[in-house]
Amino acid sequence: MKPHHRHLGRAAVATAAAALCLAGTGQAQADPLGSVTFYTGADRTGTAVRLDLEKVGVCQELGTPARSFLALSNQAVDVFFNEDCVTGAPGRTGDLYFRTGTLGQGDFPYPAVSYRIRSAAG
């Protein structure tokens, strides 16, 4: 069992679609992968950290734990609550992790400390 969560409510998808429309064609051409941003605070507050979506499949550590995200991309991100992309609740083993989805926003159930970009195909 690999629990993962997708926060893709209609309001979130509508918000994401509106943001993409407002970005304009120049932005779409400049950043074909879209963007995924982590925030140090809940509800997309605090310091923003934009992820490098070209580092597919590579475990990356966050310098400061993230509490929320905004995903406007064709790539999902697997988020982990332990270092080295180890699954489980903080400080515990298990199969818990979080998947952002491609269009969505939300809060993580625990502070995120590492992540891995998934390929667009899977």
Side-chain angles (χ1 to χ4, degrees), residues 16-72:
L20 284 174
C21 289
L22 292 175
T25 57
Q27 176 65 24
Q29 290 174 355
D31 197 356
L33 296 176
S35 67
V36 177
T37 305
F38 286 176
Y39 298 87
T40 57
D43 300 318
R44 292 155 314 283
T45 61
T47 303
V49 177
R50 189 167 174 172
L51 307 186
D52 182 351
L53 298 178
E54 293 187 15
K55 293 185 177 180
V56 175
V58 177
C59 181
Q60 298 177 71
E61 304 291 326
L62 291 165
T64 303
R67 297 297 315 212
S68 60
F69 73 96
L70 174 63
L72 303 169

Side-chain angles (χ1 to χ4, degrees), residues 50-119:
R50 189 167 174 172
L51 307 186
D52 182 351
L53 298 178
E54 293 187 15
K55 293 185 177 180
V56 175
V58 177
C59 181
Q60 298 177 71
E61 304 291 326
L62 291 165
T64 303
R67 297 297 315 212
S68 60
F69 73 96
L70 174 63
L72 303 169
S73 174
N74 64 352
Q75 292 172 285
V77 179
D78 288 343
V79 180
F80 302 90
F81 311 112
N82 292 300
E83 293 180 351
D84 301 319
C85 296
V86 173
T87 58
R92 297 183 179 159
T93 59
D95 57 3
L96 177 72
Y97 70 99
F98 186 101
R99 184 167 297 157
T100 64
T102 56
L103 295 175
Q105 59 188 350
D107 292 342
F108 299 123
Y110 299 104
V113 297
S114 60
Y115 66 93
R116 183 179 296 120
I117 308 296
R118 295 182 56 82
S119 70

